[in-house]
Amino acid sequence: MSHAATNPTVVAAHNGHHHDPHLAHHFETPEQQYQSGKLGMWVFLATEILMFGGLFCAYSVYRHNHPEVFEFAHKALDPVLGGINTVVLITSSLTMAWGVRAAQLGQKRLLIWCLALTIIGGAGFMAIKSIEYNTKWKHNLFPGSYNVYSKTFTGEETPPLDLAALNSEGHHAPAHEAGEAAPHPVKTIYDTRLVPHDPNAGTPDEAKIKPSFATSTGMVTQAPPAAEEHLIYTDLGRDRHHVTVFFSIYFLMTGLHGIHVLVGMSLIYWLLRRAIASQARFFADGLAVTGTGLFFVYLGWLIPLTFLLIGGAIVAAIGIVIALMFAGRALRATGEGEFDPTYFTPVDLVGLYWHLVDLIWIFLFPLLYLIR
Amino acid sequence: MSYANPPASAHRIDDGAHVEGAVHVHAVSPRLLLTVFGCLLVLTVVTVAITKVPLGAFAIWAALGIAVIKATLVLLYFMHLRWDTPFNAIIFVSALLFVAIFISATIGDSNEYKVNYLPPPGSEIQAPQ
């Protein structure tokens, strides 16, 4: 019936009805088109769940078989930063849901604000994430054989006995004071050949069977603390070389999630550009260029590379000039944006994607950061 | 076509309906959005606080339970599943079901051959070659 629906003049003449120019010819009504699009998005989200399911499966199998490794290694993750990131992501989910509402009701200016705030939330999440990644890189806590705990690690560094000190200096500080000499020669403790696994380690039987902490090789090792209080590297026994697997799982899960955050931010930027009137879209581009420049400044400070700092600053300055040139026009013309109660499907579907990203983080946070 | 500025009232649920050609949807009220947001924040605090309580083996199930409640809130209200056609929910829940089958079957499988790759407790660790 509406095969010429994409041509507004033809449509306007058709029975005197105004038809939505967004309505594709193979759909009867905008309602049907909207519901079909949504169904397709939910099928896609189901495939996303299946993709992440593989990583959750790897996590479950390794945690099931090596629970002490997860208990030991998760201390490298900062629950404060992870918690802040959870709040940031939940807040950006709220602004996204509010943006969908604004689009459904034709509140065009509010939609622009909501989309902008959601992008800022995503950027904040990635910034905090990169601070966390940077801490891991500094301490050689990479995935696979580049990890300091790997058997094939070729670097100079020795694997730390306790990872808690990486995040909160002093919070979970080791028992001995900084000035005091380490009670035992550290080198021997790392040598797995000199420290056989003790089945009674950490159990109440240990004190009865072995009152002194002398091993069969005659080496005196650090007294193992009660297992439920504090695990250190030497307590892991035969599972010791699996510590590197925890970091592989951590980086794969949070990395794939981080890629999803970046994709979601790009999609929301695409929405933002369409939500702003066509004459004023350079405003959004200016903001995007500013963001890119600031990202390079941040990267330059993180790595640290002077040319990234200077180049990023130049790009950010160009972006600010573009944004300022078009800001006035953008603010005057927000009523001309594309989304309204007759057509808001893209906002709704990108919203669903963004909430899925939030959903996955809701599971990642307790599973990775809050093991004890 | 001109749009009247619809009131952002919590009681009008189909505010967009009076616009000609509008897609009939349930626009979630700001009050409900903020309530769900508040619940999510409270549950985040709870999931952090609960790690201070010695729950032993139950801790993982408590953490997962809270995460499931949070995920359900997001699905029902932020993702509109409560007002959607049930078919969308069926698709999503079936994906979760298959992930559950996948994970439990894999854990069960790894239990079967665990003896082959983990030395019995108390055995000496072999020096790497």
Side-chain angles (χ1 to χ4, degrees):
Chain A
M1 124 197 166
S2 50
H3 57 275
T6 44
N7 187 338
T9 48
V10 175
V11 170
H14 182 80
N15 288 341
H17 268 93
H18 178 91
H19 281 231
D20 196 320
H22 292 293
L23 182 64
H25 66 89
H26 51 282
F27 289 113
E28 290 284 327
T29 59
E31 173 83 25
Q32 188 198 25
Q33 175 170 278
Y34 166 73
Q35 294 297 351
S36 309
K38 215 166 176 180
L39 174 66
M41 192 65 195
W42 277 103
V43 171
F44 172 68
L45 295 187
T47 66
E48 289 276 78
I49 291 295
L50 296 178
M51 177 168 70
F52 275 97
L55 290 175
F56 278 103
C57 184
Y59 172 93
S60 311
V61 169
Y62 269 96
R63 183 162 175 190
H64 175 74
N65 287 328
H66 311 284
E68 326 75 46
V69 169
F70 276 66
E71 230 165 78
F72 167 78
H74 92 280
K75 291 218 166 73
L77 315 184
D78 190 342
V80 175
L81 288 181
I84 292 172
N85 251 355
T86 308
V87 172
V88 167
L89 216 51
I90 289 174
T91 311
S92 81
S93 246
L94 171 74
T95 56
M96 189 70 228
W98 211 314
V100 171
R101 174 191 153 84
Q104 288 169 343
L105 301 184
Q107 301 164 337
K108 298 188 172 189
R109 194 176 288 239
L110 182 62
L111 170 64
I112 292 170
W113 279 111
C114 285
L115 293 175
L117 284 174
T118 312
I119 294 182
I120 292 170
F125 179 89
M126 291 310 286
I128 294 173
K129 197 80 238 163
S130 66
I131 292 170
E132 295 188 62
Y133 275 12
N134 199 38
T135 313
K136 315 286 176 300
W137 296 338
K138 267 192 210 150
H139 296 96
N140 286 299
L141 296 172
F142 295 106
S145 61
Y146 298 99
N147 192 292
V148 68
Y149 290 101
S150 167
K151 273 184 197 167
T152 50
F153 180 70
T154 49
E156 300 275 302
E157 296 83 0
T158 46
L161 270 183
D162 187 355
L163 281 168
L166 296 191
N167 290 315
S168 36
E169 321 286 348
H171 268 267
H172 308 280
H176 57 87
E177 293 298 315
E180 197 182 317
H184 307 291
V186 172
K187 195 68 193 164
T188 57
I189 293 171
Y190 297 130
D191 195 335
T192 54
R193 282 160 293 187
L194 295 179
V195 187
H197 176 70
D198 180 359
N200 296 309
T203 66
D205 290 342
E206 181 177 51
K208 290 182 228 157
I209 297 167
K210 195 177 58 176
S212 75
F213 293 110
T215 67
S216 58
T217 52
M219 300 288 302
V220 175
T221 63
Q222 198 160 6
E228 66 271 15
E229 271 178 12
H230 206 64
L231 268 178
I232 60 166
Y233 185 52
T234 43
D235 295 336
L236 298 180
R238 66 189 183 193
D239 281 348
R240 206 166 303 168
H241 61 282
H242 287 286
V243 170
T244 175
V245 177
F246 175 84
F247 289 99
S248 298
I249 288 173
Y250 165 76
F251 276 107
L252 280 174
M253 292 185 101
T254 58
L256 187 65
H257 178 265
I259 290 170
H260 277 75
V261 173
L262 291 177
V263 170
M265 285 169 67
S266 313
L267 289 172
I268 295 165
Y269 168 68
W270 169 69
L271 291 181
L272 182 64
R273 207 176 185 285
R274 289 177 70 177
I276 295 175
S278 53
Q279 308 99 304
R281 282 182 184 165
F282 274 115
F283 173 66
D285 294 338
L287 290 183
V289 172
T290 309
T292 313
L294 290 177
F295 173 73
F296 279 116
V297 169
Y298 175 67
L299 218 59
W301 167 77
L302 211 64
I303 293 182
L305 284 174
T306 318
F307 76 90
L308 272 184
L309 275 173
I310 296 172
I314 292 172
V315 173
I318 293 172
I320 289 169
V321 170
I322 296 175
L324 286 179
M325 277 170 65
F326 290 92
R329 202 180 289 181
L331 289 177
R332 277 195 303 275
T334 44
E336 295 162 35
E338 209 176 316
F339 304 116
D340 59 41
T342 66
Y343 180 67
F344 54 83
T345 312
V347 185
D348 208 323
L349 300 193
V350 170
L352 288 180
Y353 182 85
W354 191 255
H355 296 313
L356 184 89
V357 171
D358 183 28
L359 209 72
I360 289 166
W361 183 258
I362 283 176
F363 281 93
L364 286 183
F365 173 56
L367 287 180
L368 290 171
Y369 290 74
L370 303 176
I371 286 175
R372 279 299 289 261
Chain B
M1 185 161 20
S2 68
Y3 304 110
N5 215 0
S9 150
H11 306 295
R12 296 281 300 279
I13 55 168
D14 250 348
D15 295 24
H18 60 281
V19 178
E20 189 194 351
V23 178
H24 290 247
V25 285
H26 177 274
V28 189
S29 72
R31 185 186 295 173
L32 186 54
L33 287 176
L34 288 174
T35 309
V36 172
F37 175 66
C39 290
L40 291 173
L41 286 188
V42 168
L43 286 170
T44 304
V45 172
V46 170
T47 198
V48 174
I50 210 168
T51 56
K52 311 286 177 209
V53 184
L55 290 172
F58 181 67
I60 173 79
W61 301 111
L64 278 178
I66 293 169
V68 166
I69 295 171
K70 288 169 77 180
T72 311
L73 285 175
V74 171
L75 282 164
L76 284 181
Y77 298 103
F78 283 180
M79 298 173 89
H80 297 153
L81 267 189
R82 187 177 161 188
W83 303 282
D84 264 8
T85 156
F87 197 61
N88 293 345
I90 292 171
I91 291 171
F92 193 76
V93 171
S94 60
L96 295 178
L97 198 67
F98 276 102
V99 169
I101 294 171
F102 178 36
I103 291 178
S104 47
T106 314
I107 288 182
D109 182 53
S110 90
N111 278 343
E112 291 302 314
Y113 60 82
K114 204 174 188 172
V115 285
N116 297 333
Y117 69 89
L118 289 183
S123 66
E124 288 269 342
I125 287 179
Q126 295 304 305
Q129 301 303 310

